[in-house]
Amino acid sequence: MIETVEVDIEEIYQQRWRELVRMAVLLVDDLAAAEDVVQDAFIGLHRKQGQLRSADAALAYVRTSVLNGARSVLRKRRTVRLYLRAVPPLTAEPADDAALRSVEREAALAAVRRLPRRQREVLVLRYWSELSEAEIAATLGISSGSVKSAASRGLDSVETMLRGQR
Amino acid sequence: MTADSEQLLREAMREAACQALDDRREVPPFPGAGQPARWRPTRSRGIHRFGPLTVAAAVLTIVAGATVGVAVVNANRGDDPATGTSPTAGTSPAPAPDGPNLALEIGYPVDPPVVGVETTFAVRGTGMSAEADGSIDAPVVSFGDGSPDSGPASVDNACSGDPVPIDDTFPVSHTYTQPGTYEVSASIESCGLIQTQSLTVEVSAGPAGLGLALDVSSAPEPSVAGTETTITVRGTGMTAEADGHIDYPQVSFGDGSPDAGPASIDNACSGDPVPIDDTFPVSHTYTQPGTYQVSVTIESCGLSRTQTLTVEVRAP
């Protein structure tokens, strides 16, 4: 018999809503869709009240739900993804170091958008959510080895794409 | 990858995420707080403050002489605060004649639900709606067996002008893997009105106590020519196989290569049906990029199920 606890889901919602919406934005590139995905995830979590082992388990559940919701949004928006793949390389001339860094950040984000779904998810969980390898593995339901390899391939691809634009 | 590049990614994500969602933006109300069921439209869909929903009436109709039961709930936007959501059986619906109103019916499946056989529920929404396209969105349906809900991930809430009559029916199908009693719950939404209705279904193990369901999925990573592709085949249901397991599936990979699977099928079935849940990883290496139709068949005690899957194989 697994022990369950009463989790204050509303508190988690208040504390984590922004972080989760921003995570979803990085996955679906659209605030409206990101908010919907997070709302749906919390509605799902609300239904699970009474079946949760801890507040951490609740957060892990809702984070996974957000990822699943984001995948669902992307499936329905393949044409948009195709459009994003066709975004031309940035050609703006930087005026100074700050502007150069800003252009680099935009290029890095564009590169992340072009990664395969798994790699993009791993990078967002690692560099936005700051999750450990084990936490990413648990969130995505994959092995730590797969996390490591997806992160490594994703980072290599991003760097290659950035080099191609310099 | 250098530490600088990792730092660049952190900065890029922080900047993009915080630009998309400003810190000054208030956290919207908690979606579970006293809300009826499913949807709570967010800012992006236009602000809909749900007016008090008055459950006017509910009727449970069993159509005589047929195995069709229909649960009906009606709601309209009234001026009185909602006093409760429990439908009152036998009360006639009394929606406002001209204002927006929404009714939901879930039809009991015509064919009695059986394990391993697709069951179809008809979800019907009627009433008066100001939806811009004149029809309501597909319902969100929970099948009560822990499987993911069916329905749209997001809802188009564009509403315009005067209410017009709507009458939309959505067939929603699901395959149960275990016999039992399940509560099916459907929700529809239209211009801020939400209706939710439940229906209890009895799923039997079938005439002979047997049932078989098949689920085929491919690995999340894209398939690459020259590299092994793995397809997961899962068979669930009730079987009387002598060893308690179904046989390895027959798989046709669609590229002209020989099928995978046993040369012959062990049909030894004995004793009482027991639940099964067998998963088979099936691997294959495509030599050329392209689109392939994979066909998978499982068999158990005379029941067989076939499912096809499209696999995209890209060049290495």
Side-chain angles (χ1 to χ4, degrees), chain B residues 28-80:
Chain B
F30 178 54
Q35 284 306 306
R38 185 66 178 85
W39 286 287
R40 187 177 183 91
T42 57
R43 183 181 63 91
S44 58
R45 298 167 175 157
I47 297 175
H48 290 283
R49 297 284 173 235
F50 299 147
L53 289 177
T54 302
V55 174
V59 181
L60 179 64
T61 307
I62 304 296
V63 177
T67 55
V68 176
V70 180
V72 182
V73 172
N74 255 284
N76 66 296
R77 280 192 182 200
D79 294 325
D80 299 330

Side-chain angles (χ1 to χ4, degrees), chain A residues 38-75:
Chain A
V38 172
Q39 293 285 87
D40 284 347
F42 272 98
I43 289 167
L45 180 65
H46 189 59
R47 287 183 183 158
K48 291 278 175 190
Q49 180 65 281
Q51 303 171 41
L52 301 168
R53 283 175 285 112
S54 66
D56 286 346
L59 180 59
Y61 174 90
V62 80
R63 199 177 267 136
T64 301
S65 296
V66 169
L67 279 163
N68 288 336
R71 287 174 194 167
S72 181
V73 168
L74 290 180
R75 270 199 296 274

Side-chain angles (χ1 to χ4, degrees), chain B residues 37 58 83 86 141 145 160 163 184 187-188 197 216 234 238 282 300:
Chain B
T83 53
S86 299
V141 182
D145 62 348
S160 65
V184 178
S187 296
I188 55 173
Q197 181 59 26
V216 182
R234 184 176 176 211
M238 300 287 288
V282 181
S300 173

Side-chain angles (χ1 to χ4, degrees), chain B:
Chain B
M1 192 77 190
T2 63
D4 185 53
S5 298
E6 290 189 294
Q7 183 58 27
L8 177 66
L9 267 184
R10 277 197 180 87
E11 287 174 12
M13 288 187 188
R14 197 176 311 130
E15 183 180 76
C18 295
Q19 271 178 4
L21 180 67
D22 197 285
D23 272 339
R24 289 166 298 184
R25 171 76 194 286
E26 283 184 19
V27 178
F30 178 54
Q35 284 306 306
R38 185 66 178 85
W39 286 287
R40 187 177 183 91
T42 57
R43 183 181 63 91
S44 58
R45 298 167 175 157
I47 297 175
H48 290 283
R49 297 284 173 235
F50 299 147
L53 289 177
T54 302
V55 174
V59 181
L60 179 64
T61 307
I62 304 296
V63 177
T67 55
V68 176
V70 180
V72 182
V73 172
N74 255 284
N76 66 296
R77 280 192 182 200
D79 294 325
D80 299 330
T83 53
T85 55
S86 299
T88 310
T91 309
S92 299
D98 301 322
N101 62 81
L102 191 61
L104 167 63
E105 307 171 15
I106 311 176
Y108 201 92
V110 175
D111 298 320
V114 176
V115 166
V117 178
E118 192 172 73
T119 295
T120 301
F121 302 92
V123 179
R124 183 182 176 201
T126 54
M128 298 287 287
S129 170
E131 292 268 354
D133 61 359
S135 61
I136 57 176
D137 294 306
V140 172
V141 182
S142 161
F143 299 101
D145 62 348
S147 61
D149 292 356
S150 121
S154 63
V155 179
D156 162 27
N157 252 331
C159 291
S160 65
D162 296 327
V164 294
I166 49 162
D167 188 346
D168 296 319
T169 300
F170 305 91
V172 181
S173 297
H174 183 63
T175 302
Y176 287 95
T177 58
Q178 300 293 332
T181 303
Y182 299 95
E183 184 163 306
V184 178
S185 171
S187 296
I188 55 173
E189 185 279 346
S190 174
C191 297
L193 286 175
I194 296 175
Q195 268 308 344
T196 296
Q197 181 59 26
S198 299
L199 182 71
T200 301
V201 294
E202 299 283 345
V203 179
S204 71
L210 303 177
L212 189 60
L214 168 64
D215 182 40
V216 182
S217 57
S218 59
E221 291 88 1
S223 297
V224 179
T227 306
E228 203 170 66
T229 293
T230 301
I231 295 158
T232 302
V233 179
R234 184 176 176 211
T236 51
M238 300 287 288
T239 184
E241 295 265 357
D243 62 358
H245 294 280
I246 57 175
D247 294 312
Y248 196 87
Q250 292 277 352
V251 183
S252 163
F253 297 101
D255 62 348
S257 62
D259 291 357
S264 64
I265 291 174
D266 164 26
N267 251 334
C269 290
S270 64
D272 296 328
V274 293
I276 44 162
D277 189 345
D278 292 325
T279 299
F280 307 90
V282 181
S283 296
H284 183 66
T285 301
Y286 289 94
T287 56
Q288 298 293 327
T291 303
Y292 299 95
Q293 293 292 326
V294 178
S295 173
V296 178
T297 301
I298 55 172
E299 189 280 342
S300 173
C301 298
L303 290 175
S304 106
R305 299 282 178 265
T306 298
Q307 193 177 328
T308 56
L309 179 75
T310 302
V311 175
E312 302 276 352
V313 179
R314 68 182 191 193

